[in-house]
Amino acid sequence: MNGRSLLACCTLALVLGLAPPAGAAETLVCPSLAGATQVDGCPSEEQLQTGYTGFCSDNRRLYASDHDTCSRFENYRKLKNVALWEAGEGGAFQGYLSCELPRERIQAAQPQSMAVSRIGSVTRVACGYGEGLSLSLRTKARCKVEDEARCAADAASCRVRCD
């Protein structure tokens, strides 16, 4: 392959987005929940009851390790009475939050933790806001908490760098 062909090939790859541009690293912070929006509605009591009956009547559940979810309707309801919420630019951070919590309480919550995990080729950046409030961003990029000691001391100062 001559120089001209190599240049054409690399230019085409850049145009098609196959090669990341130089300096494509991104720094992430936990988004404020003040601007978070609920994407879908909460399930009705009838939907929860129907789900409980169908989900918990499956005989395989009797032998599963999770005996608590189906032991009482209230346990199932606590687990499944959730709605999808989004926050951050373009709704990048998402999570299922309890329908029992008032909107004002959710939107007033402040970041308390930030964690990074990787399963296969997907990285999960999770922001914890306390009381079971958690939103996550999923990306194919490799990410790492920038200063874990500072982050542990002050969750508001947490930064994650993704390359």
Side-chain angles (χ1 to χ4, degrees):
M1 183 179 282
N2 66 27
R4 184 177 285 183
S5 298
L6 182 60
L7 179 62
C9 175
C10 292
T11 303
L12 178 62
L14 284 173
V15 169
L16 294 176
L18 300 176
E26 180 179 18
T27 301
L28 302 171
V29 297
C30 287
S32 165
L33 294 187
T37 56
Q38 185 175 341
V39 177
D40 61 1
C42 293
S44 68
E45 201 63 29
E46 181 182 338
Q47 289 171 320
L48 288 168
Q49 190 64 51
T50 301
Y52 173 72
T53 301
F55 181 81
C56 293
S57 66
D58 183 350
N59 287 337
R60 290 177 293 164
R61 304 267 180 254
L62 297 172
Y63 305 104
S65 60
D66 176 16
H67 300 290
D68 195 42
T69 300
C70 292
S71 64
R72 297 181 14 224
F73 174 70
E74 290 76 24
N75 296 357
Y76 176 84
R77 186 178 196 291
K78 183 177 180 182
L79 182 69
K80 298 293 186 174
N81 191 22
V82 295
L84 181 63
W85 283 70
E86 293 179 339
E89 187 177 328
F93 283 83
Q94 301 177 339
Y96 286 93
L97 304 182
S98 173
C99 292
E100 301 295 320
L101 292 173
R103 174 181 298 274
E104 298 78 28
R105 193 163 168 191
I106 290 171
Q107 292 182 322
Q110 297 298 313
Q112 294 182 5
S113 65
M114 192 171 197
V116 174
S117 59
R118 188 158 178 94
I119 298 175
S121 64
V122 177
T123 300
R124 179 177 177 256
V125 178
C127 294
Y129 297 87
E131 299 181 46
L133 297 174
S134 177
L135 297 181
S136 300
L137 172 137
R138 287 170 177 78
T139 179
K140 295 258 182 189
R142 294 205 178 263
C143 304
K144 185 178 188 301
V145 176
E146 283 188 340
D147 185 345
E148 291 188 33
R150 183 179 70 181
C151 185
D154 178 20
S157 69
C158 288
R159 304 277 185 270
V160 167
R161 182 168 177 84
C162 298
D163 297 317

